[in-house]
């Protein structure tokens, strides 16, 4: 398996992968336009030229970024791919000098295993919520806010 930056040609596969996980209730869906707009944030895990996982590091401020759009192909779960993606994204955050990384997730146990801690949503700055207005679950967000110190 290799981890690499996502390319334009990956968007349809990434969209399908995220859609599959969203249909299972594991995460929120993402539109194609959002994936294209945030392509530079994304990495993919690839095995034998098949994308089996994806995740993104979205910078929000000088000291804060979000891990988002983390999805693993159903048949590839439990192999450490998600952890590898998170570790790669945290390494990137650290190399950029970003002190804190958060995730809004339904997968609290997974992120705890990666070193994140649950925090109150009120502890995150308001700018975090700028995209939430477009979410079908707004204003009744049921995701858990989790945070890790990277520095």
């Amino acid at each position: 398996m290799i981890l690499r930056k996502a390319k334009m040609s990956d968007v349809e596969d990434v969209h399908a992968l995220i859609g599959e996980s969203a249909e299972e209730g594991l995460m929120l869906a993402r539109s194609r336009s959002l994936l294209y707009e945030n392509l530079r944030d994304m990495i993919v895990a690839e095995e034998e030229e098949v994308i089996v996982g994806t995740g993104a590091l979205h910078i929000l401020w000088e000291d804060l970024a979000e891990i988002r759009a983390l999805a693993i192909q159903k048949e590839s779960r439990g192999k450490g791919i998600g952890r590898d993606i998170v570790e790669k994204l945290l390494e990137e955050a650290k190399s950029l000098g970003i002190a804190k990384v958060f995730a809004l997730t339904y997968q609290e146990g997974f992120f705890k295993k990666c070193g994140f801690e649950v925090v109150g949503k009120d502890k995150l700055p308001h700018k975090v919520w700028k995209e939430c207005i477009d979410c079908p679950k707004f204003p009744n967000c049921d995701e858990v806010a989790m945070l890790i110190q990277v520095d």
Side-chain angles (χ1 to χ4, degrees), residues 26-28 30 66 104-106 121 129 132 135 137 140-145:
L26 300 175
M27 64 185 299
L28 295 174
R30 300 288 191 280
E66 177 185 8
L104 295 172
T105 184
Y106 295 129
K121 291 178 187 158
W129 309 110
C132 295
C135 178
K137 294 192 174 197
N140 301 309
C141 178
D142 56 352
E143 292 182 298
V144 176

Side-chain angles (χ1 to χ4, degrees), residues 64-76:
L64 185 66
E66 177 185 8
I67 289 182
R68 53 169 61 169
L70 180 64
I72 308 302
Q73 181 185 58
K74 195 173 193 173
E75 300 79 23
S76 299

Side-chain angles (χ1 to χ4, degrees), residues 104-115:
L104 295 172
T105 184
Y106 295 129
Q107 306 307 312
E108 182 180 337
F110 169 78
F111 279 96
K112 278 186 179 178
K113 288 179 188 174
C114 292

